[in-house]
Amino acid sequence: MQGEPTELLRSPTDAAWWTVHRGDGPIVGTAIHNGHAMRSDTRALTALTDEERLREEDPFTEFIIRDLSNRIVAHTSRFEVDLNRARTGAIYLQPAQAWGLSVWRDHPPAGMIETSLAVHDEYYAMLHSMLAAIERRHRRFVVLDVHSYNHRRQGPEAAPAAADEAPDINIGTASMDRLRWAGVVDTAMSALGSAHIDGRPLDVRENVAFQGRGEQTRFIHEHFPETGCAIAIEFKKTFMDEWTGKPDIEALRALRALVSSLVPVLTEALARQR
């Protein structure tokens, strides 16, 4: 990881909807809000600048999961289609769906919407197929559904969100059978909470800033209720300037190593799962 140029933190392609890396092992990482690309027709109709979109996307989450042998990285912006919303709300047609932002200059035509929703359909078909294959091989699996969140919403010079409302890492578990997966989730939280970055321990809490109610975790727990544990992990954007988009490369390297370190402990926790 040493010497990783800043430009390599960005996705190398705008043409692909997503990239899938498939290896051995029962741990999967996803970065489904990492993408910034939009089709030419959706880009022409959007009322947002690239900077406004980037602020609400999850840049660099791909970098954080890059050492996982099983991983999925989305390249399409959530402002074209949000893969972590239910199909009926995956296109932001009202400001209330998008942090008060008016995403479109005019209402998107029906054909444009259906083209975007087809990507949503294809994603979940692909995800089910991939996870079913891992289930066949390993019986159980864990998905680390990695995201990031803003904590300086009042502006670059304003005070950040209060620490009691904004942990360094928020673990979302609302859609899972928490009792069934207690051994796995508690292992993950313990491993994350024992880490130090910049000499200080990480504040890791469950269902504080977010509860893990996204479509991806819901889908996994619906379709793999006894074999799939999907943990929503929200990293506070202390690894970057959320207003300029500039990354802190050393902080990102530390988070990448931290996520990589979860693989053996979660694999062991799965082996103990009944």
Side-chain angles (χ1 to χ4, degrees):
M1 286 190 289
Q2 293 300 316
E4 193 87 50
T6 304
E7 58 268 21
L8 291 187
L9 299 177
R10 298 301 181 98
S11 168
T13 179
D14 282 350
W17 291 339
W18 50 75
T19 301
V20 177
H21 297 262
R22 180 73 168 88
D24 204 7
I27 312 303
V28 182
T30 67
I32 60 175
H33 283 160
N34 183 83
H36 188 64
M38 297 184 77
R39 299 193 314 273
S40 58
D41 57 344
T42 58
R43 181 184 289 274
L45 196 61
T46 185
L48 303 178
T49 65
D50 284 352
E51 291 75 18
E52 287 172 319
R53 290 195 295 113
L54 187 68
R55 192 170 301 133
E56 300 299 347
E57 294 161 347
D58 296 350
F60 314 119
T61 48
E62 177 275 331
F63 185 81
I64 292 172
I65 67 169
R66 197 177 288 182
D67 291 327
L68 275 59
S69 59
N70 293 305
R71 63 191 189 276
I72 304 170
V73 178
H75 305 302
T76 298
S77 172
R78 67 189 304 174
F79 286 96
E80 180 173 296
V81 57
D82 191 336
L83 299 175
N84 207 34
R85 302 272 180 99
R87 192 183 195 275
T88 54
I91 312 298
Y92 303 155
L93 297 178
Q94 302 296 329
Q97 296 173 282
W99 311 276
L101 298 172
S102 296
V103 175
W104 309 104
R105 291 188 289 104
D106 297 299
H107 193 283
M112 179 186 293
I113 291 174
E114 285 306 313
T115 297
S116 296
L117 290 178
V119 176
H120 192 279
D121 296 340
E122 291 290 343
Y123 177 80
Y124 279 96
M126 176 278 297
L127 180 66
H128 189 280
S129 177
M130 178 179 178
L131 295 181
I134 294 174
E135 179 191 51
R136 286 193 298 272
R137 184 169 178 81
H138 296 285
R139 296 181 55 239
R140 299 182 183 91
F141 59 85
V142 175
V143 175
L144 304 178
D145 180 21
V146 172
H147 298 269
S148 62
Y149 76 97
N150 294 326
H151 66 118
R152 308 190 70 95
R153 286 198 170 275
Q154 302 308 309
E157 306 303 325
D164 62 342
E165 301 174 353
D168 294 318
I169 302 177
N170 184 99
I171 301 297
T173 59
S175 70
M176 71 169 62
D177 181 340
R178 183 62 173 84
L179 183 61
R180 170 184 290 277
W181 296 108
V184 174
V185 176
D186 293 345
T187 295
M189 293 189 65
S190 177
L192 293 169
S194 65
H196 288 67
I197 291 183
D198 287 336
R200 66 176 184 84
L202 292 175
D203 176 15
V204 181
R205 282 177 282 157
E206 185 174 353
N207 299 332
V208 177
F210 299 89
Q211 289 74 47
R213 299 183 186 278
E215 177 64 8
Q216 179 166 261
T217 55
R218 187 209 65 77
F219 175 91
I220 293 168
H221 294 136
E222 177 186 342
H223 289 271
F224 303 93
E226 297 185 1
T227 57
C229 176
I231 306 172
I233 304 179
E234 293 270 359
F235 290 98
K236 185 161 65 174
K237 287 184 180 176
T238 53
F239 57 83
M240 64 178 289
D241 185 319
E242 66 192 56
W243 287 91
T244 67
K246 182 179 179 181
D248 179 337
I249 299 177
E250 291 308 314
L252 282 166
R253 285 176 176 150
L255 293 178
R256 177 175 170 180
L258 178 58
V259 168
S260 180
S261 74
L262 292 177
V263 172
V265 296
L266 291 180
T267 300
E268 183 177 342
L270 271 183
R272 297 193 299 266
Q273 184 77 17
R274 297 193 178 196

